[in-house]
Amino acid sequence: KEKFFQLGGYDDLYRPMYMEDVDLSYRALKRGWKIRYEPRSAIVHTGGGTIGRLFKKGYVDLMRQKNRYLFVWKNIRESQFLLSHLAWLPLRIGKSLLKGDLVPLKAFCLALTRFPEVLLRRGEESRRSRINDRAIFQRFGRPGPRGRGPGQFLEKSGKIG
């Protein structure tokens, strides 16, 4: 509980849903803290059980994608990873537009509206970081479009819980 408060709790930047837990874990890792898990534990989670009743699927997808952008902009500091992210953005959005899918573009635009807040939080957290992104990625897997980025890894790996 004490560590949760030292991290400032869940960041409301990600409201109403998605990535706040990943962000919390990543900030802890960046500070050099250990994240422990119990491999024998079992969690039964019905994905979208509550959210699916409260929000339409399109809105949920929009928030998930918007918050992934916010996560990268807020937390990833190494230029190699940021440049890769920026290089893939137009390709990802363009490919989706060709398929008639506007969600990635809308998510990007929504995320841009939060960019001043992202920069503020990025600066605050930067002063507390002790571990760089590369060290975290080396520990948990290769980031990038063909590998697992920090968000996908932290959500799916089972390495933290």
Side-chain angles (χ1 to χ4, degrees):
K1 182 177 176 180
E2 179 183 323
K3 295 280 189 187
F4 179 81
F5 288 117
Q6 285 179 21
L7 287 166
Y10 293 123
D11 190 337
D12 64 359
L13 182 69
Y14 301 103
R15 282 196 156 152
M17 66 191 103
Y18 288 115
M19 296 302 286
E20 67 278 353
D21 54 341
V22 175
D23 174 75
L24 185 78
S25 298
Y26 199 76
R27 286 185 284 135
L29 289 169
K30 294 281 283 203
R31 291 183 187 194
W33 297 355
K34 292 182 180 179
I35 296 177
R36 298 187 177 146
Y37 75 104
E38 171 52 60
R40 295 170 294 174
S41 66
I43 297 172
V44 178
H45 176 71
T46 304
T50 302
I51 289 172
R53 286 193 310 268
L54 299 175
F55 303 99
K56 293 182 180 180
K57 183 184 179 322
Y59 182 75
V60 172
D61 291 341
L62 181 66
M63 292 300 103
R64 183 181 295 120
Q65 290 187 41
K66 174 200 70 143
N67 287 347
R68 284 184 176 157
Y69 292 134
L70 294 175
F71 175 86
V72 170
W73 300 344
K74 176 186 171 195
N75 292 297
I76 306 302
R77 289 177 183 77
E78 291 189 47
S79 59
Q80 172 191 355
F81 302 124
L82 283 173
L83 290 172
S84 176
H85 168 73
L86 293 173
W88 281 99
L89 268 175
L91 296 172
R92 182 173 190 274
I93 292 171
K95 182 179 176 183
S96 297
L97 289 173
L98 289 173
K99 293 179 181 180
D101 180 7
L102 298 176
V103 172
L105 177 61
K106 288 180 180 180
F108 178 75
C109 292
L110 276 175
L112 278 179
T113 67
R114 308 293 303 270
F115 199 69
E117 292 171 80
V118 168
L119 290 178
L120 179 66
R121 288 179 171 106
R122 181 181 174 87
E124 291 168 355
E125 202 54 43
S126 170
R127 291 185 291 279
R128 297 179 180 104
S129 294
R130 303 288 175 257
I131 307 292
N132 65 30
D133 299 311
R134 182 172 307 283
I136 293 171
F137 295 153
Q138 285 173 342
R139 180 175 169 199
F140 292 115
R142 184 172 72 93
R146 288 176 291 285
R148 293 184 290 198
Q152 290 96 349
F153 173 79
L154 294 171
E155 288 176 333
K156 297 177 183 175
S157 71
K159 293 265 183 185
I160 55 177

